Amino acid sequence: MLDMFKSLYQYRGFIVSSIKRDFQSRYQSSMLGAIWLVLQPLAMILVYTLVFSQVMKARMPDNSGSFAYSIYLCSGVLTWGLFTEILDKSQGVFINNANLIKKLSFPKICLPFIVVASAVLNFLIIFSLFLIFLIFTGNFPGWLILSMLPVILLQIAFAAGLGMIFGVMNVFFRDVGQFVSVLLQFWFWFTPIVYVLNSLPQWAHKILMYNPVARLMQSYQGIFAYHKMPDWGSLVPVLVLAIIFCAYGLILFRRHAAEMVDEL
């Protein structure tokens, strides 16, 4: 672990330039540039708000404000976007950078870190707009927003660890990439983002609590939609899974780092 952090520090210039290049290549050549970063989740939020607003608002008795459901939806959609970006890009990070891996000598652990850092940068840009919206509508949670920091760090660790596992496996079994795409589609609807848990029967509520991301989403929605502190006890299983995924992902990477170069 210490060697990994040393490698990341030694190649910090490479990491920063790669993040900058990724951001520029994604938006610089388009007419609207980084505006697309906002338009994509905004379109998703508008569609779901128009379709589900009246139904789900009735299921939120503790919050009857004008923007209650919109805030509930945004807090889930935006953080889910961070989770999916890390997971989706991590599963293909070694395959997509095959030429770079073959031509240059550098710690390959830098690549997953670049993916995570780029996803966090994109998230911060769009999430800052959400915070401005909360301030102008009088729904800013105040000091409670600080409780979001450990939750977001836990989510990043969970996604990065799982993404590392999928990324290594995808080098040897290319079906993994297709599997992740399908998995994320089902995972989205098995997570209370669009709908409110209170709208489901009790048995479904219990089943969804086996979904670690559902626990994370409930924490965000509690902070922003209900101005409540997260239930830290409910996040302990997510923490355990995050540690297991990160540890196993690093072990898997160290065991197969040399083999991946030949396989690519």
Side-chain angles (χ1 to χ4, degrees):
M1 184 67 71
L2 184 60
D3 291 338
M4 182 189 75
F5 284 114
K6 285 181 178 179
S7 299
L8 292 174
Y9 180 76
Q10 290 173 354
Y11 284 82
R12 61 190 182 279
F14 169 74
I15 293 172
V16 172
S17 62
S18 296
I19 295 170
K20 183 178 178 181
R21 184 170 58 253
D22 176 71
F23 188 84
Q24 290 176 338
S25 63
R26 188 183 303 186
Y27 304 112
Q28 198 172 44
S29 58
S30 62
M31 292 181 63
L32 295 180
I35 296 178
W36 286 114
L37 185 66
V38 179
L39 289 180
Q40 292 171 356
L42 181 61
M44 185 178 181
I45 289 167
L46 287 175
V47 169
Y48 286 133
T49 299
L50 291 172
V51 174
F52 295 102
S53 181
Q54 294 304 316
V55 177
M56 293 303 168
K57 189 176 179 180
R59 299 287 183 170
M60 300 176 67
D62 298 333
N63 190 343
S64 57
S66 303
F67 302 99
Y69 179 67
S70 296
I71 294 171
Y72 178 91
L73 184 62
C74 286
S75 60
V77 168
L78 299 183
T79 48
W80 171 261
L82 173 63
F83 174 75
T84 56
E85 184 173 358
I86 293 175
L87 197 58
D88 187 52
K89 288 191 174 179
S90 294
Q91 58 87 12
V93 64
F94 300 115
I95 293 176
N96 296 335
N97 291 280
N99 291 332
L100 190 65
I101 292 173
K102 292 176 181 179
K103 293 178 181 178
L104 297 178
S105 177
F106 66 97
K108 299 172 191 64
I109 194 66
C110 291
L111 295 175
F113 187 83
I114 291 169
V115 165
V116 172
S118 296
V120 171
L121 175 61
N122 293 334
F123 170 76
L124 290 176
I125 293 172
I126 189 170
F127 197 74
S128 63
L129 299 178
F130 175 55
L131 294 181
I132 293 172
F133 167 76
L134 292 176
I135 293 171
F136 274 95
T137 58
N139 291 288
F140 188 73
W143 65 269
L144 271 176
I145 197 171
L146 295 177
S147 63
M148 178 188 173
L149 294 178
V151 182
I152 200 77
L153 290 174
L154 179 57
Q155 177 181 322
I156 291 170
F158 179 87
L162 188 57
M164 173 78 81
I165 295 171
F166 284 143
V168 175
M169 291 177 62
N170 199 25
V171 173
F172 303 97
F173 309 100
R174 300 301 170 94
D175 290 339
V176 171
Q178 304 300 324
F179 168 75
V180 171
S181 298
V182 175
L183 173 67
L184 288 174
Q185 293 181 39
F186 281 95
W187 207 336
F188 176 80
W189 289 107
F190 278 94
T191 305
I193 297 173
V194 175
Y195 54 87
V196 182
L197 272 179
N198 294 337
S199 64
L200 302 177
Q202 191 63 30
W203 62 267
H205 185 285
K206 291 180 179 179
I207 291 175
L208 285 181
M209 284 300 96
Y210 287 103
N211 174 6
V213 182
R215 296 169 181 262
L216 293 168
M217 293 300 129
Q218 274 201 310
S219 298
Y220 296 126
Q221 291 155 350
I223 294 169
F224 294 105
Y226 299 103
H227 294 182
K228 295 180 180 178
M229 185 73 72
D231 180 3
W232 301 114
S234 69
L235 295 176
V236 172
V238 188
L239 175 61
V240 173
L241 284 174
I243 293 172
I244 292 173
F245 287 155
C246 287
Y248 184 65
L250 288 173
I251 292 171
L252 206 62
F253 172 79
R254 290 176 68 89
R255 283 182 180 177
H256 300 285
E259 298 174 38
M260 284 195 298
V261 177
D262 298 330
E263 193 69 25
L264 292 170

